[in-house]
Amino acid sequence: MNFNALYKISYGLFVATSNYEGKDNGCITNTAIQITSVPNRISLTLNKLNLTHDMIKNTALFNLSVLTEKISFDLIKRFGFSSGNDIDKLENFDNIKRTKNGLVYITESTNAFISGKVFDSVDLDTHTMFFADITDCNVLSDEPSLTYDYYFKNIKPKQPASESKSGKAVWRCKICGYIYEGEELPADFICPICKHPASDFEKIYI
Ligand code: FE
């Protein structure tokens, strides 16, 4: 099997935000989709290692900011490559507004927001899939939505060449660029930056 086939699915990219006990947080996700139209419902699947996951679990509320192709890599890094357990991702970041549910959404490089209220969820071991009713939503611009494919081709900085006859072997996360030093990557390894599994790493020589 070639699991690169999964990269051919035309995912969007979003910032999922929530708030728990006065603290705002958000994370980048590609796993939000509309699931029914009458009533309008969406699903959102988040890794349990994300603080936003725990906030949604506790409050049943989230916002989705639909990102556009104009996004900067810095915005991806702010919400995707660090943990809200370690830093305040909203610190010194003014490009937000609040929806009726009290949660923030991102106004920078965002063409729509959607507010969700969770009515059910499924435990998927590493992740939780939340099912939500849409309580509010609006279109903010006509900029094209960002896809996972567009992000890899146009937003993510190009990595140095991965093939060399000499040099030390390391493992590089294909999602965020994190380097694991070692000849063999443990099968259960999780990227400490973006939380993707060992299958998203490639062996390179530096
Ligand atoms: Fe990573």
Side-chain angles (χ1 to χ4, degrees):
M1 287 194 285
N2 180 356
F3 286 103
N4 285 330
L6 297 175
Y7 287 112
K8 299 300 185 189
I9 297 176
S10 56
Y11 306 98
L13 276 174
F14 320 94
V15 177
T17 44
S18 195
N19 178 297
Y20 185 60
E21 295 184 334
K23 179 184 167 84
D24 293 306
N25 195 55
C27 64
I28 299 278
T29 178
N30 65 321
T31 49
I33 52 171
Q34 182 178 5
I35 47 174
T36 61
S37 53
V38 184
N40 265 310
R41 288 167 161 169
I42 54 173
S43 69
L44 171 66
T45 307
L46 290 184
N47 192 309
K48 292 178 181 176
L49 296 174
N50 287 317
L51 177 62
T52 308
H53 167 278
D54 294 347
M55 289 179 162
I56 297 172
K57 194 93 180 158
N58 283 322
T59 64
L61 296 175
F62 65 84
N63 278 349
L64 276 183
S65 300
V66 182
L67 300 173
T68 73
E69 292 180 355
K70 286 205 166 170
I71 195 167
S72 66
F73 187 61
D74 280 347
L75 192 70
I76 296 275
K77 280 199 292 186
R78 175 182 286 270
F79 289 101
F81 295 170
S82 60
S83 171
N85 288 310
D86 304 323
I87 64 156
D88 180 356
K89 297 187 186 182
L90 278 303
E91 189 176 24
N92 300 321
F93 186 75
D94 297 327
N95 298 325
I96 52 169
K97 283 187 179 171
R98 287 190 191 273
T99 45
K100 293 174 203 159
N101 59 11
L103 309 185
V104 299
Y105 67 93
I106 313 301
T107 54
E108 176 185 340
S109 309
T110 297
N111 62 15
F113 75 81
I114 300 165
S115 298
K117 181 167 177 43
V118 176
F119 63 87
D120 204 353
S121 64
V122 175
D123 188 318
L124 298 171
D125 300 324
T126 57
H127 292 62
T128 300
M129 187 171 198
F130 298 105
F131 301 104
D133 289 310
I134 296 174
T135 56
D136 194 11
C137 56
N138 208 352
V139 173
L140 307 174
S141 85
D142 291 326
E143 290 292 333
S145 296
L146 177 65
T147 65
Y148 213 42
D149 189 55
Y150 188 93
Y151 162 69
F152 275 106
K153 287 178 176 157
N154 302 289
I155 308 294
K156 187 176 169 224
K158 297 286 179 269
Q159 304 281 7
S162 61
E163 290 298 328
S164 170
K165 294 291 181 194
S166 59
K168 185 174 71 168
V170 298
W171 292 82
R172 180 171 66 198
C173 175
K174 289 190 278 188
I175 309 301
C176 73
Y178 173 81
I179 297 288
Y180 174 89
E181 298 208 8
E183 185 67 26
E184 294 305 324
L185 183 70
D188 60 352
F189 190 76
I190 302 287
C191 177
I193 306 295
C194 71
K195 316 292 191 255
H196 276 245
S199 57
D200 281 324
F201 279 70
E202 59 185 350
K203 196 174 194 177
I204 61 168
Y205 297 87
I206 59 174

PDB file of all heavy atoms in Angstrom, residues 173 175-178 191 193-196 201, ligand 1:
ATOM      1  N   CYS A 173      10.061  15.171   9.829  1.00  0.00           N
ATOM      2  CA  CYS A 173       8.599  15.191   9.742  1.00  0.00           C
ATOM      3  C   CYS A 173       8.198  15.918   8.452  1.00  0.00           C
ATOM      4  O   CYS A 173       8.599  17.066   8.236  1.00  0.00           O
ATOM      5  CB  CYS A 173       8.007  15.897  10.961  1.00  0.00           C
ATOM      6  SG  CYS A 173       6.218  16.095  10.864  1.00  0.00           S
ATOM      7  N   ILE A 175       5.374  17.009   7.716  1.00  0.00           N
ATOM      8  CA  ILE A 175       4.347  18.016   7.956  1.00  0.00           C
ATOM      9  C   ILE A 175       4.965  19.333   8.411  1.00  0.00           C
ATOM     10  O   ILE A 175       4.657  20.401   7.885  1.00  0.00           O
ATOM     11  CB  ILE A 175       3.331  17.525   9.012  1.00  0.00           C
ATOM     12  CG1 ILE A 175       2.813  16.124   8.651  1.00  0.00           C
ATOM     13  CG2 ILE A 175       2.196  18.524   9.175  1.00  0.00           C
ATOM     14  CD1 ILE A 175       2.123  16.041   7.309  1.00  0.00           C
ATOM     15  N   CYS A 176       5.859  19.266   9.415  1.00  0.00           N
ATOM     16  CA  CYS A 176       6.364  20.505  10.000  1.00  0.00           C
ATOM     17  C   CYS A 176       7.873  20.676   9.874  1.00  0.00           C
ATOM     18  O   CYS A 176       8.392  21.753  10.167  1.00  0.00           O
ATOM     19  CB  CYS A 176       5.962  20.602  11.464  1.00  0.00           C
ATOM     20  SG  CYS A 176       6.871  19.494  12.556  1.00  0.00           S
ATOM     21  N   GLY A 177       8.598  19.605   9.503  1.00  0.00           N
ATOM     22  CA  GLY A 177      10.039  19.738   9.335  1.00  0.00           C
ATOM     23  C   GLY A 177      10.855  19.343  10.563  1.00  0.00           C
ATOM     24  O   GLY A 177      12.086  19.406  10.544  1.00  0.00           O
ATOM     25  N   TYR A 178      10.200  18.922  11.643  1.00  0.00           N
ATOM     26  CA  TYR A 178      10.927  18.502  12.847  1.00  0.00           C
ATOM     27  C   TYR A 178      11.909  17.370  12.508  1.00  0.00           C
ATOM     28  O   TYR A 178      11.588  16.467  11.734  1.00  0.00           O
ATOM     29  CB  TYR A 178       9.928  18.033  13.911  1.00  0.00           C
ATOM     30  CG  TYR A 178      10.572  17.423  15.130  1.00  0.00           C
ATOM     31  CD1 TYR A 178      11.086  18.227  16.144  1.00  0.00           C
ATOM     32  CD2 TYR A 178      10.688  16.040  15.270  1.00  0.00           C
ATOM     33  CE1 TYR A 178      11.686  17.669  17.257  1.00  0.00           C
ATOM     34  CE2 TYR A 178      11.291  15.475  16.382  1.00  0.00           C
ATOM     35  CZ  TYR A 178      11.785  16.302  17.377  1.00  0.00           C
ATOM     36  OH  TYR A 178      12.386  15.748  18.482  1.00  0.00           O
ATOM     37  N   CYS A 191       5.337  13.137  16.441  1.00  0.00           N
ATOM     38  CA  CYS A 191       6.068  14.401  16.295  1.00  0.00           C
ATOM     39  C   CYS A 191       5.712  15.337  17.461  1.00  0.00           C
ATOM     40  O   CYS A 191       4.534  15.617  17.685  1.00  0.00           O
ATOM     41  CB  CYS A 191       5.717  15.069  14.966  1.00  0.00           C
ATOM     42  SG  CYS A 191       6.541  16.676  14.774  1.00  0.00           S
ATOM     43  N   ILE A 193       6.097  18.405  17.668  1.00  0.00           N
ATOM     44  CA  ILE A 193       5.669  19.727  17.208  1.00  0.00           C
ATOM     45  C   ILE A 193       4.238  19.700  16.675  1.00  0.00           C
ATOM     46  O   ILE A 193       3.380  20.436  17.130  1.00  0.00           O
ATOM     47  CB  ILE A 193       6.612  20.251  16.098  1.00  0.00           C
ATOM     48  CG1 ILE A 193       8.068  20.227  16.597  1.00  0.00           C
ATOM     49  CG2 ILE A 193       6.197  21.652  15.672  1.00  0.00           C
ATOM     50  CD1 ILE A 193       8.355  21.156  17.738  1.00  0.00           C
ATOM     51  N   CYS A 194       3.993  18.812  15.699  1.00  0.00           N
ATOM     52  CA  CYS A 194       2.680  18.832  15.034  1.00  0.00           C
ATOM     53  C   CYS A 194       1.815  17.620  15.367  1.00  0.00           C
ATOM     54  O   CYS A 194       0.684  17.537  14.885  1.00  0.00           O
ATOM     55  CB  CYS A 194       2.852  18.965  13.534  1.00  0.00           C
ATOM     56  SG  CYS A 194       3.506  17.490  12.734  1.00  0.00           S
ATOM     57  N   LYS A 195       2.362  16.688  16.169  1.00  0.00           N
ATOM     58  CA  LYS A 195       1.615  15.518  16.666  1.00  0.00           C
ATOM     59  C   LYS A 195       1.295  14.488  15.592  1.00  0.00           C
ATOM     60  O   LYS A 195       0.435  13.639  15.789  1.00  0.00           O
ATOM     61  CB  LYS A 195       0.308  15.937  17.367  1.00  0.00           C
ATOM     62  CG  LYS A 195       0.429  17.117  18.313  1.00  0.00           C
ATOM     63  CD  LYS A 195       1.248  16.769  19.530  1.00  0.00           C
ATOM     64  CE  LYS A 195       1.146  17.837  20.596  1.00  0.00           C
ATOM     65  NZ  LYS A 195       2.316  18.680  20.728  1.00  0.00           N
ATOM     66  N   HIS A 196       1.981  14.544  14.449  1.00  0.00           N
ATOM     67  CA  HIS A 196       1.739  13.531  13.433  1.00  0.00           C
ATOM     68  C   HIS A 196       2.573  12.277  13.733  1.00  0.00           C
ATOM     69  O   HIS A 196       3.618  12.367  14.376  1.00  0.00           O
ATOM     70  CB  HIS A 196       2.064  14.081  12.036  1.00  0.00           C
ATOM     71  CG  HIS A 196       0.921  14.854  11.436  1.00  0.00           C
ATOM     72  ND1 HIS A 196       0.247  14.444  10.301  1.00  0.00           N
ATOM     73  CD2 HIS A 196       0.315  15.984  11.844  1.00  0.00           C
ATOM     74  CE1 HIS A 196      -0.724  15.304  10.033  1.00  0.00           C
ATOM     75  NE2 HIS A 196      -0.696  16.255  10.954  1.00  0.00           N
ATOM     76  N   PHE A 201       6.998  10.638   8.680  1.00  0.00           N
ATOM     77  CA  PHE A 201       8.413  11.002   8.680  1.00  0.00           C
ATOM     78  C   PHE A 201       9.113  10.361   7.487  1.00  0.00           C
ATOM     79  O   PHE A 201       8.731   9.279   7.036  1.00  0.00           O
ATOM     80  CB  PHE A 201       9.096  10.532   9.964  1.00  0.00           C
ATOM     81  CG  PHE A 201       8.873  11.452  11.133  1.00  0.00           C
ATOM     82  CD1 PHE A 201       7.606  11.541  11.731  1.00  0.00           C
ATOM     83  CD2 PHE A 201       9.888  12.229  11.637  1.00  0.00           C
ATOM     84  CE1 PHE A 201       7.386  12.383  12.799  1.00  0.00           C
ATOM     85  CE2 PHE A 201       9.679  13.080  12.722  1.00  0.00           C
ATOM     86  CZ  PHE A 201       8.429  13.155  13.310  1.00  0.00           C
TER      87      PHE A 201
HETATM   88 FE    FE B   1       5.726  17.428  12.728  1.00  0.00          FE
END
